[in-house]
Amino acid sequence: MIAIRGLVKSLDHRVVLNGVDLDVAKGETLVVIGRSCCGKSVLLKHVLGLMKPDAGTVTIFGKQLDQLDRAHLYELRMRCGVLFQGGALFDSLTVAENVGLGLSENTTKSKSEIADIVAERLEWVGLAGIGPRAPSDLSGGMRKRAALARAIAMDPEIVLYDEPTTGLDPITAEGINDLIVRLRERLKVTAIAVTHDMNSAFKIGDRIAMLHAGKIIFDGSVDQLRNSADPIVQQFIVGATTGPLEPL
Ligand SMILES: Nc1ncnc2c1ncn2[C@@H]1O[C@H](COP(=O)(O)OP(=O)(O)OP(=O)(O)O)[C@@H](O)[C@H]1O
Ligand SMILES: [Mg+2]
């Protein structure tokens, strides 16, 4: 479903991605872990075609993004749901309007059909009845869950999660983890989640890849990650302050 080959990207004269190769099979959830600023969000933006590679290719649904015209790229994006790191909700719209935005802009569904879907997705994320509120009236965790409801409103085949649990209390975070697992199991979505929350990574990932210094330095199962002999991987997953990685 997703194939990334030799992806290179420099930003502000700094090489952020330096030859990234990754594959995600249909129905699989790949978790990409890595330190702050290592390029996780940049990687997701390439999967959506929101950023263009300096070199290398991104292929989703069997289509190489740089070979598509704008209309085809939009068509593919429509089949992807995204939970942006900051939520990216429109403050001028209600929560319900935010969640239903993709449906009202891109489908012929009626207002009442959209309202039903919106209510269902808000319930899934534990925000039943919150639809009429303004995003600015929500707590950080509620905003994140509202953004998640929007990401899954259009029954996407691919979902990209950028830090789905960061900043949430442990119980709410666990609820989001459960939801991500349920989406994988029931709806068979293919997903990439980027996170530095190791608890979440272990729960939601079929496979885990670690991005470090522009490259994938580990790609394997949760068990293989736990047993990795790589000192960088070990230091990251236990969060040790001593080791090859310096605190930022
Ligand atoms: N549009 C941009 N223009 C210039 N530099 C950018 C841009 N987007 C990202 N960067 C830089 O690329 C690097 C990687 O950023 P990115 O947002 O991918 O980090 P991240 O791994 O998601 O970090 P975090 O875990 O803190 O979210 C950073 O140094 C950032 O400043
Ligand atoms: Mg990020």
Side-chain angles (χ1 to χ4, degrees):
M1 283 290 262
I2 304 171
I4 300 170
R5 292 286 173 276
L7 182 57
V8 175
K9 182 70 176 182
S10 294
L11 288 160
D12 274 347
H13 310 291
R14 192 171 80 87
V15 183
V16 177
L17 302 176
N18 193 14
V20 170
D21 297 303
L22 273 179
D23 287 282
V24 191
K26 194 167 172 22
E28 184 180 45
T29 296
L30 171 73
V31 174
V32 178
I33 58 172
R35 301 188 77 188
S36 269
C37 285
C38 76
K40 301 182 299 297
S41 295
V42 166
L43 179 69
L44 290 188
K45 285 175 187 158
H46 281 88
V47 175
L48 289 167
L50 295 172
M51 277 189 176
K52 288 202 167 35
D54 296 335
T57 59
V58 176
T59 304
I60 65 174
F61 303 112
K63 304 258 176 10
Q64 199 175 305
L65 296 187
D66 57 69
Q67 296 182 347
L68 300 176
D69 58 28
R70 196 173 271 259
H72 284 104
L73 184 60
Y74 282 170
E75 216 169 274
L76 293 192
R77 262 191 214 147
M78 213 89 83
R79 297 162 66 189
C80 300
V82 196
L83 174 63
F84 287 102
Q85 188 160 7
L89 297 168
F90 294 102
D91 279 329
S92 56
L93 303 178
T94 65
V95 169
E97 285 164 346
N98 267 285
V99 173
L101 191 62
L103 292 163
S104 58
E105 300 255 300
N106 302 301
T107 71
T108 54
K109 287 190 196 306
S110 70
K111 276 195 172 152
S112 73
E113 283 173 306
I114 293 174
D116 287 347
I117 296 170
V118 167
E120 178 191 65
R121 303 301 143 107
L122 284 174
E123 195 191 320
W124 286 8
V125 300
L127 290 181
I130 300 297
R133 302 255 294 264
S136 54
D137 295 346
L138 305 185
S139 73
M142 290 165 88
R143 288 172 74 89
K144 188 143 254 180
R145 286 184 282 149
L148 179 57
R150 185 178 60 185
I152 58 180
M154 288 179 69
D155 293 325
E157 295 156 76
I158 290 177
V159 185
L160 305 177
Y161 304 100
D162 197 342
E163 304 286 356
T165 56
T166 307
L168 303 182
D169 72 76
I171 298 159
T172 307
E174 201 50 30
I176 296 289
N177 290 334
D178 286 347
L179 190 64
I180 292 173
V181 170
R182 257 198 340 262
L183 288 172
R184 183 185 73 201
E185 286 172 356
R186 286 201 203 145
L187 306 178
K188 311 279 179 230
V189 300
T190 304
I192 300 181
V194 308
T195 187
H196 28 59
D197 173 354
M198 287 313 301
N199 181 49
S200 173
F202 286 139
K203 294 228 164 84
I204 65 179
D206 292 304
R207 230 175 75 227
I208 299 190
M210 181 164 174
L211 183 60
H212 177 69
K215 289 197 159 54
I216 299 297
I217 61 163
F218 173 89
D219 185 347
S221 68
V222 168
D223 281 344
Q224 286 168 334
L225 180 76
R226 284 210 171 94
N227 296 323
S228 165
D230 185 327
I232 294 177
V233 172
Q234 276 308 325
Q235 187 187 351
F236 186 86
I237 66 175
V238 301
T241 50
T242 53
L245 303 174
E246 298 281 335
L248 287 175

